[in-house]
């Protein structure tokens, strides 16, 4: 078994950025607390040895206040953490003085990441870990930010006080990473001379403050009042709420605008003009006309629709969504939006920080449901998960909506989104009443505003693109192929006839609209895309879109829910979404008929 | 009775103590009493610390305070339990 090195520290100090530098892997980084919610392991070569480096979720102490922190506490203290109650109303604490680490769990080294720009915040956990007598070294990260704030940290004195090496690093540009690796290597050497024993510092706040007084100096900061003024404007209700509306509108416009541009001028000409025609020609040369040929290039031909849908309809919006989201994530705006909306969110049983998983859900529900681990109560997790499954369209589905609706009527598209928010508010109000849980008492740190770095954003975008190709586009091509077979063999038509009372009678859609209801279970956007080629009235478009929106999220999300919660809860989500989709769809189409 | 504030090098008379919720935006105060909560301590809200109130959010939202250079948002129910000596 490889030796294990743990990467630990307070939330939002750059552990994941250091992890990515050390392993060459790419775990997600962002400028807010709770980006890493599960530990991520990666192999790194240290000297001649392969080492398992583990990126542990951030925690301020060995007391877990949410599921993500519990992962961290369990990581260091082994099983003792798992006895803790799953609800976190009573924080799950581990007294560092009484813990004997199990030999299997004992890491051979902890690399402790301290944020030089928020120095005191990480010291308590550091002292707690030192009490556990695990080999440890400190990476003093974000030196650039500290300098900007006018902080001076006496690194030698700090190293001397703690009796461990301290290496200054700036993870975002790679500074100090080589030295960090050298020091880590030195720790693995069995003949390493141990530093002379010194009495440890007990983990108390008095000692933390004494330590700060000894090594930390604040010199007059260079002019940073401009940043502070912006911060105040964004964080205060006035003009913060107005700015929030403008920023959200700009985000929405940016995503739709950039996406439409990419589709119209780049991806559509590329695929329709250059890639698909030669494929169609080739297939019609090789295969005689008939079922087999149609599966390739017919109505649902997966060399036609199977390429057009994922690459010209969805990909443009995947790119534009994540480009904009990365920008917002790295700036530190999300936590500010969260506190502006906290009071309103409280009414639907959520803390403002619930906005983060919900926003991620507009990209994909799976990371969003994972991200809900950083919320502080089980009740919040349940509410956020239900809302995401119910009414937050993923970016693939949004791309489909835009294609289906924007060309016909922008008003219909906007009303689909407005209606989804209305449903979320109503659902939240109901869920807040029926799900039991403690009163919300959120306490959160607001990170510094940072100017996003272009290299960081492009890198994250590239990773998203790769992930979309493997986990989004390829399954979509597969699902279209399945659809092609079902369609060409007549199974789809039979299915359509079978449920036609529901589709034509209740929803008042044409019989062919039964197809998306099957495909939608496989992939969320396929609950919408097949409607594109049907001749639908505006009201039918709206009904179809609404049914697609509330319908079963997709098989991968159901699986995620079953894993994160219970299979029974996943079944509940399945029934709830399907039932509500039909109920609301049928009612809306009747209501709409009164007006049109 | 007076309280000596080390890092500011001043003495403050202990009178008209208020809860953090009552501290108006733009004003500062010293923490006198704080509920025993590990999260509060780690966020830097501890006895003897100077807090600066940045503002109250609407719709019953949190109180935003600054301690040192850290910005913290506290739910009103939490802020209510923190005793402050305004300075």
């Amino acid at each position: 078994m490889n030796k294990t090195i743990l990467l630990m520290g307070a939330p939002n100090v750059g552990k994941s950025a250091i992890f990515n530098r050390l392993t060459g892997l790419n775990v997600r980084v962002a400028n807010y607390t709770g980006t890493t919610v599960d530990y991520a392991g990666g192999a790194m070569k240290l000297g001649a040895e392969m080492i398992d480096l583990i990126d542990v979720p951030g925690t301020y102490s060995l007391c877990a206040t949410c599921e993500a922190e519990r992962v961290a506490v369990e990581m260091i203290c082994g099983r003792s953490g798992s006895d803790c109650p799953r609800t976190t109303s009573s924080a799950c604490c581990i007294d560092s003085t009484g813990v004997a680490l199990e030999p299997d769990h004992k890491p051979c080294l902890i690399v402790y990441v301290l944020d030089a720009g928020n120095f005191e915040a990480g010291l308590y956990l550091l002292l707690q870990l030192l009490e556990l007598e695990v080999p440890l070294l400190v990476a003093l990260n974000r030196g650039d930010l500290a300098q900007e704030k006018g902080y001076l940290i006496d690194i030698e004195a700090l190293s001397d006080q703690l009796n461990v090496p301290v290496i200054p690093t700036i993870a975002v540009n790679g500074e100090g990473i080589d030295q960090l690796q050298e020091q880590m290597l030195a720790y693995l050497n069995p003949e390493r001379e141990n530093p002379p024993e010194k009495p440890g510092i007990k983990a108390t706040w008095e000692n933390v403050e004494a330590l700060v007084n000894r090594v930390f100096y604040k010199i007059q900061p260079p002019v940073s009042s401009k940043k502070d003024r912006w911060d105040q404007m964004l964080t205060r209700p006035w003009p913060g709420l107005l700015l929030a509306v403008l920023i959200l509108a700009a985000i929405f416009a940016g995503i739709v605008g950039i996406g439409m541009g990419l589709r119209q001028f780049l991806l559509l000409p590329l695929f329709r003009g250059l890639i698909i025609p030669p494929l169609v020609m080739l297939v019609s040369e090789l295969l005689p006309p008939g079922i087999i040929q149609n599966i390739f290039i017919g109505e649902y031909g997966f060399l036609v629709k199977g390429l057009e849908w994922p690459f010209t309809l969805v990909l443009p919006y995947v790119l534009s969504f994540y480009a904009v989201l990365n920008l917002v994530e790295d700036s530190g705006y999300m936590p500010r939006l969260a506190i502006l909306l906290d009071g309103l969110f409280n009414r639907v049983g959520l803390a403002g920080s619930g906005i983060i998983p919900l926003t991620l859900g507009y990209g994909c529900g799976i990371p969003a449901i994972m991200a809900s681990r950083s919320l502080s109560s089980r009740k919040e997790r349940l509410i956020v998960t239900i809302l995401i499954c119910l009414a937050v369209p993923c970016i693939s589905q949004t791309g489909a909506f835009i294609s289906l609706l924007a060309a016909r009527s922008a008003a219909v598209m906007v009303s689909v989104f407005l209606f989804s928010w209305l449903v979320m508010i109503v659902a939240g109000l109901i869920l807040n009443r029926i799900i039991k849980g403690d009163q919300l008492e959120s306490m959160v740190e607001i990170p510094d505003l940072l100017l996003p770095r272009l290299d960081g954003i492009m890198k994250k975008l590239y990773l998203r693109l790769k992930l979309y190709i493997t986990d989004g586009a390829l399954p979509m091509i597969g699902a279209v192929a399945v659809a092609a077979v079902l369609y060409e063999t007549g199974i789809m038509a039979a299915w359509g006839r079978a449920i036609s009372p529901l589709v034509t009678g209740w929803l008042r859609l044409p019989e062919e609209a039964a197809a998306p209801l099957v495909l939608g279970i496989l992939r969320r956007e396929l609950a919408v895309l097949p409607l594109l080629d049907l001749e639908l009235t505006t009201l039918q478009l709206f009904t179809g879109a609404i049914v697609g929106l509330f319908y079963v999220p997709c098989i991968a999300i159901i699986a995620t829910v079953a894993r994160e919660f219970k299979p029974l809860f996943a079944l509940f989500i399945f029934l709830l979404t399907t039932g509500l989709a039909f109920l609301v769809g049928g009612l809306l189409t009747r209501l709409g008929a009164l007006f049109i | 009775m007076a309280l000596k504030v080390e890092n500011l090098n001043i003495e403050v008379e202990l009178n008209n103590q208020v809860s953090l919720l009552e501290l108006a935006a733009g004003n500062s105060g010293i923490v006198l009493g704080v509920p025993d909560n590990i999260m509060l301590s780690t966020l830097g809200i501890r006895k003897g610390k100077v807090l600066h109130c940045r503002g109250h959010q609407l719709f019953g939202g949190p109180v935003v305070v600054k301690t040192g250079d850290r910005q913290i948002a506290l739910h009103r129910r939490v802020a209510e339990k923190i005793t402050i000596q305004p300075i």
Side-chain angles (χ1 to χ4, degrees):
Chain A
M1 208 175 97
N2 287 347
K3 286 181 182 164
T4 317
I5 296 180
L6 299 185
L7 202 55
M8 296 188 72
N12 206 31
V13 297
K15 292 175 295 299
S16 297
I18 289 189
F19 177 85
N20 289 346
R21 287 277 170 193
L22 286 174
T23 57
L25 290 173
N26 292 297
V27 293
R28 221 167 74 79
V29 292
N31 182 18
Y32 49 73
T33 296
T35 310
T36 308
V37 290
D38 201 352
Y39 60 87
M44 70 175 284
K45 209 170 154 108
L46 210 52
E49 232 178 312
M50 284 311 278
I51 298 290
D52 287 329
L53 184 68
I54 296 180
D55 182 22
V56 181
T59 172
Y60 286 111
S61 69
L62 292 178
C63 275
T65 59
C66 69
E67 201 112 336
E69 289 186 359
R70 217 167 56 89
V71 172
V73 175
E74 281 184 17
M75 203 74 226
I76 182 71
C77 300
R79 264 194 294 278
S80 38
S82 53
D83 302 333
C84 293
R86 276 186 87 82
T87 53
T88 50
S89 52
S90 55
C92 146
C93 291
I94 282 164
D95 183 3
S96 50
T97 50
V99 177
L101 292 183
E102 292 166 48
D104 312 354
H105 272 88
K106 195 158 177 158
C108 75
L109 175 65
I110 292 177
V111 173
Y112 191 83
V113 185
L114 258 181
D115 179 358
N118 191 357
F119 183 61
E120 192 205 76
L123 289 178
Y124 187 75
L125 175 62
L126 175 56
L127 293 184
Q128 280 191 316
L129 290 174
L130 285 171
E131 282 185 342
L132 293 175
E133 295 182 344
V134 187
L136 184 147
L137 67 83
V138 171
L140 188 63
N141 196 31
R142 299 176 108 183
D144 49 341
L145 206 68
Q147 201 175 13
E148 194 184 302
K149 288 172 145 185
Y151 296 167
L152 215 61
I153 294 162
D154 187 340
I155 291 174
E156 253 172 61
L158 179 64
S159 168
D160 188 55
Q161 289 284 331
L162 299 171
N163 206 21
V164 297
V166 176
I167 302 101
T169 57
I170 302 176
V172 287
N173 65 19
E175 241 172 80
I177 297 299
D178 291 344
Q179 290 88 316
L180 181 64
Q181 263 175 327
E182 268 168 42
Q183 284 289 342
M184 288 164 72
L185 185 60
Y187 260 91
L188 294 186
N189 186 349
E191 282 142 48
R192 189 181 80 96
E193 273 180 51
N194 283 318
E197 284 282 326
K198 271 197 204 174
I201 308 175
K202 229 181 129 35
T204 63
W205 286 106
E206 289 75 29
N207 288 337
V208 166
E209 284 173 24
L211 189 61
V212 171
N213 285 336
R214 263 175 246 142
V215 303
F216 180 85
Y217 304 93
K218 189 173 172 182
I219 50 173
Q220 207 52 38
V223 197
S224 66
S225 57
K226 206 167 117 191
K227 199 166 169 180
D228 194 61
R229 256 207 316 279
W230 266 107
D231 196 354
Q232 296 234 17
M233 291 215 296
L234 289 172
T235 324
R236 280 189 181 156
W238 175 258
L241 283 166
L242 176 70
L243 288 173
V245 172
L246 294 178
I247 289 170
L248 290 176
I251 288 174
F252 193 74
I255 292 170
V256 175
I258 297 172
M260 281 183 150
L262 281 172
R263 167 174 157 79
Q264 213 60 47
F265 299 110
L266 184 68
L267 293 163
L268 205 54
L270 183 68
F271 276 83
R272 279 219 181 131
L274 291 175
I275 296 178
I276 294 174
L279 286 173
V280 170
M281 231 162 70
L282 189 70
V283 172
S284 42
E285 293 267 319
L286 292 177
L287 295 172
I291 291 181
I292 306 289
Q293 194 201 61
N294 283 346
I295 288 175
F296 280 91
I297 55 173
E299 186 89 358
Y300 278 104
F302 78 95
L303 288 182
V304 181
K305 289 288 185 285
L307 292 178
E308 254 183 38
W309 283 348
F311 292 109
T312 72
L313 276 181
V314 177
L315 179 62
Y317 299 102
V318 169
L319 290 172
S320 65
F321 177 81
Y322 284 105
V324 176
L325 181 74
N326 291 344
L327 193 74
V328 180
E329 271 194 339
D330 286 7
S331 67
Y333 183 65
M334 293 297 281
R336 286 172 172 77
L337 187 60
I339 65 157
L340 282 173
L341 299 179
D342 188 74
L344 291 177
F345 268 56
N346 280 186
R347 315 222 165 145
V348 294
L350 295 176
S353 43
I355 188 88
I356 290 174
L358 285 175
T359 308
L360 294 178
Y362 282 92
C364 171
I366 297 167
I369 290 167
M370 297 296 287
S372 73
R373 283 183 177 196
S374 67
L375 301 178
S376 56
S377 71
R378 189 162 177 82
K379 175 175 174 173
E380 287 174 83
R381 285 202 74 192
L382 288 173
I383 293 178
V384 161
T385 303
I386 293 174
L387 294 185
I388 289 170
C389 292
L390 194 61
V392 177
C394 68
I395 190 61
S396 300
Q397 201 179 26
T398 302
F401 282 143
I402 296 172
S403 316
L404 182 69
L405 303 172
R408 284 284 284 275
S409 150
V412 174
M413 193 179 120
V414 173
S415 34
V416 168
F417 276 87
L418 289 179
F419 189 73
S420 77
W421 293 330
L422 181 74
V423 168
M424 280 162 78
I425 292 169
V426 173
L429 289 172
I430 296 171
L431 292 171
N432 185 26
R433 286 183 165 243
I434 55 177
I435 301 179
K436 291 204 171 42
D438 293 314
Q439 280 191 315
L440 292 166
E441 292 197 341
S442 51
M443 307 163 225
V444 289
E445 175 147 25
I446 308 169
D448 290 306
L449 280 177
L450 295 177
L451 207 58
R453 296 168 56 101
L454 189 65
D455 56 345
I457 288 177
M458 293 314 284
K459 198 169 151 199
K460 283 210 274 185
L461 192 58
Y462 170 70
L463 293 170
R464 272 292 158 196
L465 176 66
K466 253 178 43 182
L467 195 68
Y468 172 70
I469 302 283
T470 55
D471 292 18
L474 290 179
M476 215 189 299
I477 295 173
V480 173
V482 171
V485 173
L486 293 180
Y487 185 84
E488 296 301 335
T489 51
I491 296 175
M492 195 94 90
W495 157 257
R497 278 191 300 277
I499 63 163
S500 87
L502 201 54
V503 177
T504 54
W506 174 245
L507 296 176
R508 296 182 181 169
L509 293 173
E511 204 173 273
E512 294 88 340
L517 293 177
V518 189
L519 301 175
I521 299 177
L522 297 175
R523 301 265 322 160
R524 207 166 184 169
E525 68 283 340
L526 294 185
V528 180
L529 284 174
L531 300 177
L532 278 174
D533 299 328
L534 305 179
E535 300 281 316
L536 298 181
T537 65
T538 307
L539 180 61
Q540 284 178 321
L541 279 177
F542 184 69
T543 310
I546 290 292
V547 173
L549 174 69
F550 293 129
Y551 197 55
V552 183
C554 79
I555 201 125
I557 290 184
I558 294 288
T560 306
V561 172
R563 203 179 55 232
E564 284 289 298
F565 300 92
K566 282 182 189 139
L568 207 62
F569 183 57
L571 181 68
F572 163 75
I573 295 266
F574 184 89
L575 296 175
L576 176 78
T577 50
T578 315
L580 207 71
F582 285 115
L583 181 70
V584 173
L587 291 179
L588 277 182
T589 189
R590 277 161 185 75
L591 195 69
L594 298 179
F595 296 98
I596 295 174
Chain B
M1 213 178 92
L3 178 79
K4 196 165 184 316
V5 186
E6 292 283 344
N7 43 358
L8 290 183
N9 225 351
I10 52 166
E11 281 198 11
V12 182
E13 278 301 320
L14 289 184
N15 51 20
N16 61 48
Q17 296 155 23
V18 296
S19 85
L20 177 55
L21 195 56
E22 296 162 281
L23 193 69
N27 290 352
S28 300
I30 301 163
V31 179
L32 293 181
V34 56
D36 185 23
N37 184 315
I38 181 78
M39 198 62 192
L40 280 175
S41 331
T42 51
L43 291 173
I45 317 268
R46 300 191 292 271
K47 224 171 147 176
K49 289 272 172 180
V50 176
L51 298 186
H52 175 75
C53 180
R54 295 268 274 192
H56 298 237
Q57 296 296 333
L58 297 183
F59 324 114
V63 181
V64 180
V65 296
K66 231 176 164 179
T67 159
D69 284 336
R70 299 174 78 180
Q71 245 191 122
I72 315 286
L74 297 172
H75 196 283
R76 297 169 84 91
R77 276 194 287 272
V78 180
E80 213 173 0
K81 292 180 212 148
I82 299 171
T83 327
I84 296 287
Q85 170 62 56
I87 48 174

